[in-house]
């Protein structure tokens, strides 16, 4: 667990040290395993011969986000796609703790645009609907976090300025212009408020003692990751700076790590969901919480 956390949190000084951590984790995984599984998976995706533009993904094949966005039949404006299931006993239909089974994920990935995604052929993080600029002081250096930067104080229930002298390993400036100049499905414009609410929601769920007791599984797994964030700073109406204690020798991985929330749901919908889950106690975000409190 310690070795894998070092890999996840970028606690290595170069490629060699990173690779050594992977080798160590793999060796322990093999030596300590109860059994070893060898699996060959064959997925069949039937399609009409006239469909063109399908992009396969290195890891997920036609299940990546590129396939249906690029596929089309020449001369036609619509493409009909069939799916075996819309709901199973594992399906949790919400963007906070849900979408963990393949059936709901297949649908969900094609009705919203993620900020970043992995390149279908190299597997490397890349911009999808955000542009970003990465600055880093390296594995041992530090950047100064401006006094105008802020964080969510779950105890005070407000945005608070960071302490003077706060430092971080890296800074990523995200530009959300490709979101903010668009509209949600129900016609409302996407705003910085949608981004900030998703940010607040992630931190408040993890650090508010009452919320974390309800959604214990989500809170405990996200807290070590969120602990590495040092502050946020609004640059203008479309840009946000994120300061984080994370480094990687490939800057795109820093950007991927520094984006702790999605831009998938209007803030008012997220707020309504929070009311149902934490105030009225009529729903749950995760299947584990639903099982505990049903």
């Amino acid at each position: 667990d310690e070795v894998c956390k070092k890999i996840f949190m970028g606690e290595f000084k170069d490629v060699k040290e990173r690779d050594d951590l992977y080798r160590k984790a793999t060796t322990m995984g093999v030596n300590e395993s109860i059994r070893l599984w060898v699996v060959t998976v064959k997925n069949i995706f039937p399609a009409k011969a006239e469909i063109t533009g399908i992009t396969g993904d290195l890891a997920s094949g036609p299940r990546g986000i590129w396939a249906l966005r690029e596929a089309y039949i020449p001369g036609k404006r619509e493409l009909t796609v069939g799916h075996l299931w819309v709901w199973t006993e594992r399906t949790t239909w919400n963007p906070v703790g849900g979408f963990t089974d393949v059936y709901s994920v297949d649908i969900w990935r094609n009705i919203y645009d993620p900020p970043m995604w992995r390149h279908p052929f190299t597997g490397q993080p890349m911009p999808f609907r955000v542009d970003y600029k990465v600055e880093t002081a390296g594995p041992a250096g530090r950047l100064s976090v401006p006094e105008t930067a802020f964080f969510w104080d779950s105890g005070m229930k407000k945005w608070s300025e960071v302490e003077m002298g706060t430092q971080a390993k890296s800074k990523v400036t995200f530009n959300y212009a490709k979101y903010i100049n668009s509209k949600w499905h129900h016609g409302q414009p996407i705003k910085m408020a949608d981004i900030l609410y998703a940010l607040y929601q992630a931190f408040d769920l993890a650090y508010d003692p009452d919320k974390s007791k309800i959604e214990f599984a989500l809170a405990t797994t996200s807290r070590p990751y969120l602990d590495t964030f040092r502050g946020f700073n609004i640059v203008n109406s479309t840009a946000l700076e994120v300061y984080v204690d994370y480094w990687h020798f490939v800057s795109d991985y820093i950007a991927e790590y520094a984006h702790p929330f999605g831009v998938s749901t209007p803030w008012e919908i997220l707020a309504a969901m929070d009311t149902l889950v934490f105030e009225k106690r009529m729903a749950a975000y995760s299947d584990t919480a639903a099982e505990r409190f049903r």
Side-chain angles (χ1 to χ4, degrees):
D1 187 52
E2 291 176 359
V3 172
C4 291
K5 281 183 179 178
K6 287 183 178 180
I7 296 171
F8 178 75
M9 294 183 176
E11 296 178 2
F12 42 80
K13 64 179 182 294
D14 52 31
V15 178
K16 182 182 182 305
E17 186 173 345
R18 192 280 309 266
D19 291 351
D20 287 342
L21 288 170
Y22 268 112
R23 292 187 182 96
K24 187 175 182 180
T26 302
T27 300
M28 287 190 293
V30 171
N31 290 340
E32 300 297 328
S33 63
I34 298 174
R35 56 180 62 88
L36 298 176
W37 298 94
V38 179
V39 180
T40 299
V41 179
K42 292 184 179 181
N43 289 322
I44 299 174
F45 297 86
K48 289 186 175 181
E50 59 263 38
I51 293 179
T52 188
I54 294 179
T55 300
D57 188 278
L58 183 69
S60 56
R63 280 204 150 95
I65 63 173
W66 310 99
L68 295 186
R69 283 172 168 81
E70 301 295 326
Y72 69 98
I73 296 177
K76 295 187 177 181
R77 295 176 59 86
E78 294 183 356
L79 185 67
T80 301
V81 181
H83 206 290
L84 181 62
W85 301 107
V86 175
W87 178 88
T88 71
E89 292 186 354
R90 291 287 302 167
T91 300
T92 308
W93 280 96
N94 71 75
V96 179
F99 299 115
T100 56
D101 64 293
V102 67
Y103 304 106
S104 61
V105 167
D106 279 350
I107 299 171
W108 174 240
R109 281 181 179 174
N110 288 284
I111 61 175
Y112 86 101
D113 284 348
M116 298 179 61
W117 202 254
R118 296 291 183 96
H119 192 285
F121 306 136
T122 67
Q124 187 165 312
M126 60 180 288
F128 191 88
R129 199 160 174 166
V130 296
D131 295 315
Y132 53 80
K133 178 183 178 182
V134 177
E135 298 177 41
T136 182
R142 308 300 267 178
L143 298 174
S144 295
V145 179
E147 295 179 16
T148 54
F150 58 88
F151 67 97
W152 177 253
D153 189 329
S154 59
M156 299 294 292
K157 290 299 177 185
K158 68 175 186 177
W159 297 105
S160 299
E161 292 183 351
V162 300
E163 294 183 4
M164 186 180 300
T166 299
Q167 296 181 323
K169 289 183 179 180
S170 302
K171 176 182 81 170
V172 183
T173 304
F174 293 100
N175 190 328
Y176 296 95
K178 294 176 182 176
Y179 282 109
I180 292 177
N181 291 324
S182 301
K183 294 181 179 180
W184 294 108
H185 295 77
H186 61 319
Q188 293 296 312
I190 301 175
K191 298 180 180 179
M192 183 62 75
D194 297 299
I195 297 162
L196 291 178
Y197 192 94
L199 182 62
Y200 143 78
Q201 186 183 54
F203 279 82
D204 206 49
L205 189 154
Y207 295 104
D208 179 275
D210 295 326
K211 290 183 177 180
S212 62
K213 286 179 183 177
I214 295 171
E215 288 292 350
F216 181 78
L218 295 180
T220 53
T221 53
S222 63
R223 203 175 295 135
Y225 165 59
L226 296 178
D227 282 345
T228 62
F229 287 80
R230 296 291 172 258
F232 307 87
N233 191 41
I234 296 176
V235 179
N236 52 46
S237 61
T238 65
L240 180 72
E241 292 176 345
V242 179
Y243 293 85
V244 65
D245 265 348
Y246 177 81
W247 174 84
H248 198 283
F249 44 84
V250 178
S251 62
D252 295 301
Y253 282 97
I254 300 177
E256 182 184 58
Y257 184 97
H259 207 281
F261 50 88
V263 190
S264 64
T265 310
W267 79 264
E268 65 270 21
I269 303 299
L270 294 177
M273 293 169 66
D274 280 344
T275 299
L276 289 174
V277 172
F278 298 118
E279 295 181 24
K280 296 188 176 183
R281 302 300 305 277
M282 297 171 62
Y285 280 131
S286 65
D287 54 358
T288 54
E291 183 67 24
R292 285 174 60 206
F293 298 111
R294 66 177 179 175

